[in-house]
Amino acid sequence: MKLLVVSTLVVGLLSPATAADPVHVEGTLPSGATYVMDVPAGWNRTVLLYSHGYTPDGAPNPARNAPDEEVRTGLLDRGYALIGSSYAETGWVLERALPDQVATLDAFVDRFGSPRETIAWGTSLGGMVTTGLVERYDRFDGALAMCGLQQGGVANWNNTLDPVFAIRTLLAPGSTAPLVDLPDQATALAAAAELTAALDAGQSTALGRARTALAAALHNIPAWTEAQLPEPAPGDHETAQRNQYLALRGTVYVGLSWRQEAETWAGGNMSWNTGVDYTRMLARSSIRAEVEALYARAGASLSADLATLAAAPRISADRHAVAYLVRNLSFTGRPGAPLLTIHTTGDALVPVQVQRAYADAVHEAGRERWLRQAFVHRGGHCTFTTGEMLAALRALRERVRDGRWPDTGPRALNEAAERLDPGGTHAYLAYRPAPYPRPFDLVDPPPRN
């Protein structure tokens, strides 16, 4: 194993707990993944294994051990060791990410010795990796999944299919743009361009805007989708729809370009909408009232469009590709250590209802005592303040240390966030997500490692 040491300290078997200077290590795993480790002077014997988010094929893929530099500095100043890998490949890389992260932990232990506490944490796809680690490996004392895909892989790609299917059916009638079985990126991007153009054209009419809201409702895209935008007032359905339209442009890209990458890993199409009742899905959607109001304003028939969706030719999945997604990665609801999740309420990329999907799975498995969930009132994906992340980590570490959960209510978390990040606008709130529209839970857990 090749190691690159970047430090003023001569690093050998010297214990970092007695080191006068911090230690920074970079290296490469046998899989080809790179890793980075930072151990502060006076290490508190807790190591945080960070899992980063989705990296599209062809994008830079450095190893990362924190969400950003401010959080990284704050944690090192508090004595935490920080480690993380790049994962060996990019795209829908769950097959490689979990073992690469565990190998990074092994490399850390080989070099610095066993920590007193090992905590997994991650953002976005990395939140999904984190949940997989704590469900499948007996190596962790606790885990923090932030803005993670807690619904699992099968449910994620199923529900990503729904808005794209509605856009093609209602806003681009007659289109033959493929939604699944995408052979290459050129095909995926051409289909995305066609459906995006239909979305754009739909903004010019009241009916087009109502249909856009219906597509957004099938994915539970919220009214407030970006932190830098003001939150729409209650009942301001036009502003909400405009935000959802802009978010759907990204959903189309992810639902086709990133899907093509995932299909390559899975060996085929892993999604279906055979047997799906879109009328029932709308009835459970968090933005159903908005859809109904916009259809009424347009003088159009919502029931007629739902009938059109019901009659449209459906899509079947390849069972081998579904099985791949079950393995890489769907959840059992059985975390093997305390798991805290945090999520913004205005997340358009990974809607907050994913947390309801995981909570329901945990409930079915009888593991509620292992899970706590907290929510931040803000638009955007992973738009947490530094204080909000540090407060969540502190609460999790208290659970690991004391054997019982501290107060993880919004007041306690906001007060902790303010102490850790004075002057920030911290926004934990009491919240219960609506049901996830397309749940899929793995019934039989894989063996733990």
Side-chain angles (χ1 to χ4, degrees):
M1 184 181 299
K2 180 182 178 182
L3 297 178
L4 172 64
V5 177
V6 184
S7 175
T8 58
L9 179 67
V10 178
V11 179
L13 298 177
L14 184 63
S15 167
T18 62
D21 296 300
V23 181
H24 178 79
V25 178
E26 298 178 13
T28 302
L29 298 171
S31 68
T34 59
Y35 62 79
V36 60
M37 303 175 183
D38 285 290
V39 182
W43 175 34
N44 65 12
R45 309 303 297 182
T46 297
V47 61
L48 306 179
L49 174 65
Y50 177 71
S51 298
H52 69 73
Y54 193 91
T55 302
D57 288 345
N61 186 36
R64 282 162 275 184
N65 61 6
D68 58 48
E69 188 59 31
E70 186 173 345
V71 173
R72 177 180 175 275
T73 299
L75 290 171
L76 290 173
D77 288 347
R78 290 168 172 82
Y80 293 93
L82 308 179
I83 65 175
S85 81
S86 63
Y87 320 146
E89 299 188 53
T90 53
W92 189 263
V93 70
L94 283 304
E95 178 181 348
R96 306 296 295 275
L98 271 69
D100 282 340
Q101 289 293 81
V102 172
T104 299
L105 179 57
D106 289 340
F108 176 84
V109 172
D110 287 346
R111 188 172 191 91
F112 297 108
S114 296
R116 181 174 57 233
E117 300 156 347
T118 301
I119 293 174
W121 68 314
T123 48
S124 194
L125 189 77
M128 186 181 196
V129 172
T130 296
T131 304
L133 289 171
V134 79
E135 280 203 355
R136 297 190 176 191
Y137 291 87
D138 290 321
R139 299 289 301 276
F140 301 96
D141 299 293
L144 171 63
M146 302 181 287
C147 48
L149 284 71
Q150 301 299 123
Q151 76 277 48
V154 174
N156 171 72
W157 289 111
N158 269 346
N159 194 222
T160 303
L161 174 64
D162 296 322
V164 182
F165 179 80
I167 291 167
R168 188 181 69 174
T169 302
L170 299 175
L171 292 171
S175 171
T176 59
L179 305 184
V180 299
D181 291 318
L182 301 157
D184 49 47
Q185 277 292 298
T187 301
L189 293 174
E194 181 178 339
L195 296 188
T196 300
L199 261 179
D200 295 344
Q203 289 299 288
S204 64
T205 68
L207 178 57
R209 294 191 293 274
R211 286 172 168 168
T212 298
L214 174 55
L218 298 180
H219 198 51
N220 270 330
I221 294 177
W224 189 19
T225 58
E226 295 292 342
Q228 66 270 25
L229 298 175
E231 181 180 10
D236 184 359
H237 300 313
E238 289 292 347
T239 300
Q241 185 279 149
R242 177 70 179 178
N243 291 347
Q244 291 152 354
Y245 149 68
L246 294 173
L248 278 170
R249 294 178 102 254
T251 302
V252 168
Y253 175 81
V254 168
L256 294 167
S257 175
W258 291 11
R259 175 181 291 279
Q260 191 274 330
E261 295 177 356
E263 286 185 343
T264 299
W265 281 91
N269 168 40
M270 58 283 185
S271 301
W272 69 91
N273 64 357
T274 50
V276 172
D277 184 341
Y278 285 118
T279 298
R280 184 172 181 269
M281 280 182 59
L282 176 62
R284 292 158 56 91
S285 174
S286 61
I287 63 166
R288 174 179 58 86
E290 175 197 328
V291 175
E292 293 173 343
L294 289 175
Y295 268 88
R297 189 172 299 173
S301 172
L302 174 56
S303 60
D305 274 358
L306 289 169
T308 298
L309 285 177
R314 296 304 179 97
I315 293 168
S316 300
D318 180 304
R319 63 183 181 88
H320 297 291
V322 173
Y324 179 89
L325 261 289
V326 168
R327 298 190 303 273
N328 302 288
L329 179 66
S330 292
F331 298 128
T332 66
R334 298 176 174 90
L339 171 62
L340 174 62
T341 72
I342 64 174
H343 214 101
T344 53
T345 58
D347 192 333
L349 181 62
V350 185
V352 67
Q353 288 75 22
V354 305
Q355 299 298 338
R356 178 71 174 272
Y358 193 72
D360 289 347
V362 169
H363 174 74
E364 289 296 321
R367 304 281 288 186
E368 290 97 334
R369 69 188 181 92
W370 295 99
L371 178 68
R372 290 294 183 273
Q373 296 184 313
F375 301 94
V376 171
H377 185 58
R378 188 174 296 117
H381 179 56
C382 303
T383 53
F384 307 111
T385 65
T386 295
E388 287 161 355
M389 289 186 276
L390 294 180
L393 266 174
R394 173 166 288 188
L396 175 66
R397 192 174 184 225
E398 286 184 31
R399 169 62 179 84
V400 170
R401 283 275 176 97
D402 299 341
R404 61 183 183 275
W405 285 103
D407 185 353
T408 56
R411 180 176 178 177
L413 289 173
N414 284 327
E415 289 176 351
E418 177 61 27
R419 289 194 301 272
L420 296 163
D421 180 18
T425 303
H426 312 300
Y428 280 105
L429 84 164
Y431 185 80
R432 178 172 170 78
Y436 190 71
R438 294 283 300 274
F440 180 90
D441 303 324
L442 179 61
V443 176
D444 298 319
R448 292 177 63 80
N449 297 297

